[in-house]
Amino acid sequence: MEKIIVILVTIVATLITVASALPGTATMYTKYVPSACFGTEPKGDLVARVNDALWQNYTNCDTMIKVTCTGSKFGNPCTNQSVAVKVVDHCVGPKCPTLVLSKQAFTQIANPAAPMIQIDYRQCK
């Protein structure tokens, strides 16, 4: 009986984790400093710019987001890995994807030859 309860709890926890991920799109960039959140202070290589919907007037600066590639219109560039990135900047404009990932973050989850990828993302601790 205890084994069945543990299995059910594990299944429910997995479903909640998967259900909490949101779909979006991502591209990559290579110049991380200066950033809107931190000016000229570098914050490492695993960073991202976010679109207007995620930006929320600086409130998501320093937020960590877990990103997983789910596909592309240009084949399957995904590496089947995820990456956690820190929000450091704002992507301004109507053509911004959900996230613009640093080159180091993008290449962990996808082939850098892909111009844009589809992603699942969620805030992580």
Side-chain angles (χ1 to χ4, degrees), residues 6-93:
V6 170
I7 291 170
L8 288 174
V9 168
T10 303
I11 291 170
V12 169
T14 301
L15 291 173
I16 290 170
T17 300
V18 171
S20 65
L22 299 170
T25 56
T27 58
M28 121 179 116
Y29 75 122
T30 56
K31 187 177 179 197
Y32 319 135
V33 176
S35 69
C37 296
F38 302 103
T40 58
E41 181 183 347
K43 287 296 178 180
D45 294 330
L46 298 178
V47 295
R49 294 177 179 162
V50 296
N51 67 7
D52 286 334
L54 293 175
W55 180 242
Q56 298 178 4
N57 199 27
Y58 293 90
T59 58
N60 279 323
C61 285
D62 214 26
T63 297
M64 295 298 294
I65 299 176
K66 183 177 180 180
V67 187
T68 304
C69 177
T70 59
S72 172
K73 293 179 182 176
F74 310 98
N76 185 7
C78 303
T79 64
N80 297 320
Q81 296 183 17
S82 296
V83 66
V85 294
K86 180 181 295 237
V87 174
V88 298
D89 213 342
H90 180 205
C91 181
V92 180

Side-chain angles (χ1 to χ4, degrees), residues 32 45-48 83-85 101-110:
Y32 319 135
D45 294 330
L46 298 178
V47 295
V83 66
V85 294
L101 303 171
S102 64
K103 182 177 181 181
Q104 290 82 350
F106 192 95
T107 57
Q108 281 191 27
I109 64 169

